[in-house]
Amino acid sequence: MTVPAPTTLIARDFTEFRAAVSQSFVPLHVTAGGDGFRGRIRSSAADDVQVSEVTASPHVVERTPELIARGERRYYKLSLILAGTGLLVQDDRQAVLRPGDVALYDTHRPYSLVFEEDFRTLVVMFPQRLIDLPAELVGRLTAVRMSGKEGVGNVVVPFLAQLGGNLEQLGGPAGARLAHSAVDLLSTLVATELDLARANADPHHELMRRIRAHIDANLQSTDLTPARIAAEHFISTRHLHGLFQEQGTTVSGWIRTRRLEHCRRDLLDPVHAGRPVAAIAARWGFVDAAHFSRVFKSAFGRAPSEVRRELTVSVR
C-alpha cells in the first residue's frame, strides 16, 4: 500500500508564502516583517483534521471580518510553538507563546498572530463540531496560553509533536484514528483548563459536566430522553433545557450531534470496515436507517455510504 506523502509548500519569497498560507488554512491577510523572507508549510489531513508544520521568517497574520464573511465553515485552530515565540490576539485577550506552549483560536472570529523572529509552529485545524464541548464554553479559552510542560498539557503536547514529525501517518489507514485521537486529547486539555478556571465561578459548571458525561456514556440507548436525563440528575426537565439553552444549544440537538460524530468516526475506522452502515447507525441509537441517512447527510453534506467509500479507498 502506498501512503500519500505530506503536502509541502516552500516559499522563496513573501508573495509565495502569502499565497501558501491562505491555500493551506483559511483566507488570511499576511504582512511581512522584513526582506529575505523564507517560509515552508508541510501539511497532512484525515477526516477534516489538518495538521501543519509552519517554519517561516517574521510576519503578521490577520483574520479580518471581511475574510470571515467569505466562508461558512467554522474551525478551531490550535498552535503549538516549537521554536521562537508568537503572540496570539483574539476576543480582547493576548497570549505570548514560547516553545512548548499551546493556544486555541476560532477562525469565525477576528484574530491576529504576530511573529517577530524566525519560528516553527505546529497548527492543528479542525471543524468546531469535532470538539465535544459547547462553543460558548470553548470561546472562553481562545487566546489563552496553555503550558505543555505540566498537567494534561504534558501528555498532549508530546503526542502532537510526534504527530507533526510523522505527518505521513495521517495519509495511511490509521489516519482517521490518529486525527480523532489528536482532537480528543485537545478536547481533554480544553476541558481541564475550563474546569480549573470555572470550578468556583459557575454553580452550573459541575452539573453540566456530569450531564455531558452521562449523555456520552449512554448514546447507544434509545431511551436517552430529556426526561430520563433530568431524572438521573434530580432536576426538572425545564431546568435541564434551560442549562443547554444557556450554552446555545438544545438537549436533543446535543445528543444528535454526538451520535452523528460517533457514527462518522466508525464509518471511517478500518476496525469497523466489515460492519454494515445500518448496524453502525443502530449502535449509536439511530433505529431508523432512512432517518439516519437524512440527518447524516444534512450534518456532513454527504451520505453515510459516501463516507464509507472513503475508507474503502484508503485501505486499498
Side-chain angles (χ1 to χ4, degrees), residues 293-311:
S293 183
R294 286 194 300 272
V295 296
F296 188 97
K297 187 170 184 178
S298 176
F300 301 119
R302 290 174 296 172
S305 57
E306 295 178 79
V307 175
R308 167 53 61 82
R309 279 197 291 273
E310 290 182 19
L311 171 62

Side-chain angles (χ1 to χ4, degrees), residues 11 22 57 59 80 105 146 152 157-158 191 253 275 305:
S22 290
S57 304
H59 66 275
L80 162 61
Y105 42 115
M146 294 177 279
V152 175
V157 166
R275 179 172 292 190
S305 57

